[in-house]
Amino acid sequence: MIFWRVKPLDQILATAEKKALKRQLGPVQLTLLGIGAIIGTGIFVLTAEAGQKAGPGMMVAFVIAAVVCALAALAYAELAAMLPVSGSAYTYTYGVLGEAVAWLVGWALVLEYAVAAGAVAVGWSGYMNGLLASAGMSLPEFLRTGPYDGGSFNLLAFIISLVITGLLVIGTSKSAWVNAVLVAIKVVALSVFVVMAIPAVKNPNFAPFLPAGWGTPLGGFGVLGAAASIFFAYVGFDAVSTAAEETKNPNRNIPIGLIASLAVCTLFYLLVGYGAVGSVGSQPVMGADGMPLPPGSPELAAACKNLDALVCSKEPLAHVLKLLGFAGIGNFIGLAAALALPSVILMMIYGQTRIFFVMSRDGLLPEGLSKVHPTFHTPHIITMITGVAVSLFSAMFPVGILADISNSGTLFAFMAVAVGVMILRVTQPDRARPFRTPLVWIVCPAAILGCLLLFLNLSAYTIELFVGWAAIGVVVYLAYGLRKSHLADR
């Protein structure tokens, strides 16, 4: 059947060897790449949104999202070690579930990487605009935000996206070491926040702990709604697997990079969340119906004009320290975020280009997109196309619901990977597995159920957008990939 073309795993490995990227990344660089991709807008910006959805219960939301990501990471580690090539969930799915499903996964990953890169760029521009304003060098208002946010063109978001793109064209190794410096800045900033905020924690700030309850499917509120949003704060660990083809000794180093980066970030998030909630409180702003007002809505913006609450802040971590009387340190946190968030943009664009690179190599996208630069050894054409698209996207659209849209594509891809691990355990039990998912028949079903639970607790609007994006993907596949695929004549 044409919709069940499966590319054998050995053929995937052979194809990668014919047009391979240079192996130059070690375990430390991979772990730093993972941390760089994970720690970003989620913890620096979305803490306020999680508080508005769940109040102090966002602490539980952090744990739920971390558990789901940990389960997915164990599945990713097994497939990444078996298939040390670029492409992440797309490649793994192609080798197990077939071309049509693989295409949908690759199409969904555009939401995870490209949309997320644009969202982070917009978040970064917010910090930078704040710093420029405090220094008396404000940009004209129409250049601070896009047309949906009251401006005309988000100039800073546009510029940072192009700068990161240029860095990725020059070379992966160079960009990885720049990323290492930015990761250090983020870790220092979060460490300072934890040290300053936790001593100020007071038990009364945790009550009521669940002001919006646990939440309901398609509601987008409560603990589960916050977990579905805060999931964005963990997204990025799988970007490590997209670097498999550029990794030295990938069978050993990919699992190390995946699990180590997720473990480090989870620890930081729990400490930061505890410090933020316990020191100044995070009760949501309620509407007339007794439920929290939707984050990013005009109603919440109007209510926040007369409030100095954590849930109203665009720079929540800096805001907490300012409320505690540490304005100077709060400005340092803001500066650190402005310096470090580009590392997340870097990893998101990086991951997107590597997935497009492999889809092009398989014939599902034009072959010219997979050309490798003779000097820089990078897929320069698709990198430049992706970077320009992200820069324009970030210049025109607000953060708003972008994180949730990104999550929808990510959760779909994670479910596909977990299914793939279980199928391969049955169909190819004797294949070498440098890393084996422990308790696979418990871990993988739990990962699928966890991802589905978070997916259903996104807003109805977000799920509708995901379905619409998937429908467009089907049309593109039928119009091009179905005929041009390298497996079309088999």
Side-chain angles (χ1 to χ4, degrees):
M1 293 177 61
I2 199 165
F3 286 104
W4 292 99
R5 300 170 184 160
V6 176
K7 189 172 185 179
L9 302 188
D10 291 331
Q11 184 181 342
I12 291 174
L13 293 169
T15 301
E17 290 300 323
K18 291 179 181 178
K19 187 183 286 188
L21 299 169
K22 183 179 179 181
R23 296 193 182 277
Q24 54 190 331
L25 303 177
V28 175
Q29 285 177 302
L30 279 176
T31 300
L32 291 175
L33 286 174
I35 296 174
I38 296 170
I39 297 180
T41 296
I43 191 63
F44 281 104
V45 178
L46 293 182
T47 304
E49 180 168 331
Q52 176 59 22
K53 288 188 173 184
M58 75 174 182
M59 288 292 301
V60 180
F62 271 113
V63 174
I64 292 174
V67 169
V68 174
C69 271
L71 295 170
L74 291 172
Y76 256 92
E78 177 167 324
L79 288 185
M82 290 173 63
L83 292 173
V85 299
S86 293
S88 186
Y90 160 76
T91 299
Y92 311 149
T93 307
Y94 208 163
V96 183
L97 300 177
E99 183 175 280
V101 178
W103 167 265
L104 286 177
V105 169
W107 192 250
L109 289 177
V110 174
L111 300 179
E112 174 180 351
Y113 289 105
V115 172
V120 177
V122 175
W124 175 86
S125 72
Y127 275 103
M128 278 304 301
N129 279 315
L131 291 171
L132 290 175
S134 65
M137 298 184 293
S138 298
L139 290 174
E141 187 172 351
F142 72 95
L143 291 178
R144 296 179 201 168
T145 59
Y148 291 89
D149 255 355
S152 298
F153 191 84
N154 193 326
L155 180 63
L156 293 181
F158 178 79
I159 291 175
I160 192 61
S161 299
L162 291 182
V163 170
I164 293 299
T165 300
L167 190 60
L168 285 170
V169 169
I170 291 174
T172 303
S173 179
K174 298 178 183 63
S175 59
W177 283 112
V178 170
N179 176 70
V181 175
L182 298 179
V183 169
I185 293 173
K186 288 191 288 190
V187 170
V188 169
L190 293 182
S191 299
V192 169
F193 176 85
V194 169
V195 170
M196 302 303 295
I198 286 184
V201 168
K202 300 176 182 177
N203 288 335
N205 287 330
F206 291 96
F209 190 71
L210 300 176
W214 286 96
T216 57
L218 306 182
F221 292 103
V223 171
L224 293 176
S229 293
I230 211 67
F231 186 78
F232 186 82
Y234 291 94
V235 169
F237 76 84
D238 59 309
V240 172
S241 66
T242 69
E245 201 169 316
E246 295 163 271
T247 300
K248 295 179 288 188
N249 192 9
N251 291 348
R252 169 182 175 270
N253 292 337
I254 289 294
I256 290 176
L258 281 168
I259 296 172
S261 59
L262 185 61
V264 170
C265 294
T266 299
L267 176 61
F268 267 113
Y269 286 5
L270 292 177
L271 291 174
V272 169
Y274 177 75
V277 172
S279 61
V280 300
S282 62
Q283 293 299 326
V285 178
M286 297 294 193
D289 60 355
M291 293 298 294
L293 294 173
S297 66
E299 294 80 8
L300 179 62
C304 282
K305 287 183 178 180
N306 300 317
L307 297 175
D308 196 24
L310 170 65
V311 297
C312 293
S313 177
K314 302 299 181 184
E315 46 176 3
L317 302 190
H319 185 72
V320 167
L321 295 183
K322 291 175 183 178
L323 290 179
L324 294 176
F326 304 112
I329 299 177
N331 288 331
F332 161 74
I333 297 293
L335 178 61
L339 289 174
L341 286 181
S343 70
V344 187
I345 305 171
L346 182 150
M347 275 310 302
M348 293 303 171
I349 296 179
Y350 173 95
Q352 183 67 77
T353 58
R354 270 46 182 184
I355 291 168
F356 279 154
F357 172 83
V358 178
M359 294 175 77
S360 170
R361 195 167 58 185
D362 290 335
L364 299 182
L365 291 173
E367 184 178 356
L369 298 180
S370 62
K371 289 183 178 179
V372 177
H373 196 282
T375 302
F376 301 136
H377 306 290
T378 59
H380 58 295
I381 295 177
I382 193 59
T383 298
M384 289 187 288
I385 292 174
T386 301
V388 170
V390 170
S391 66
L392 292 173
F393 185 72
S394 63
M396 304 303 292
F397 295 96
V399 164
I401 63 170
L402 291 183
D404 284 357
I405 295 174
S406 175
N407 288 346
S408 67
T410 307
L411 290 165
F412 177 74
F414 286 1
M415 285 187 277
V417 167
V419 170
V421 170
M422 292 188 292
I423 290 177
L424 282 178
R425 285 292 186 96
V426 174
T427 59
Q428 301 186 37
D430 298 327
R431 177 173 285 274
R433 288 173 170 81
F435 177 87
R436 297 178 65 88
T437 302
L439 302 174
V440 65
W441 300 108
I442 296 177
V443 169
C444 287
I448 295 170
L449 291 175
C451 289
L452 184 61
L453 176 67
L454 295 185
F455 184 89
L456 293 177
N457 276 278
L458 294 168
S459 67
Y461 177 71
T462 301
I463 295 176
E464 290 170 1
L465 284 177
F466 173 82
V467 173
W469 178 252
I472 294 173
V474 170
V475 173
V476 174
Y477 174 70
L478 294 176
Y480 184 89
L482 182 63
R483 296 178 294 105
K484 298 292 186 177
S485 168
H486 292 170
L487 298 185
D489 57 350
R490 293 172 181 258

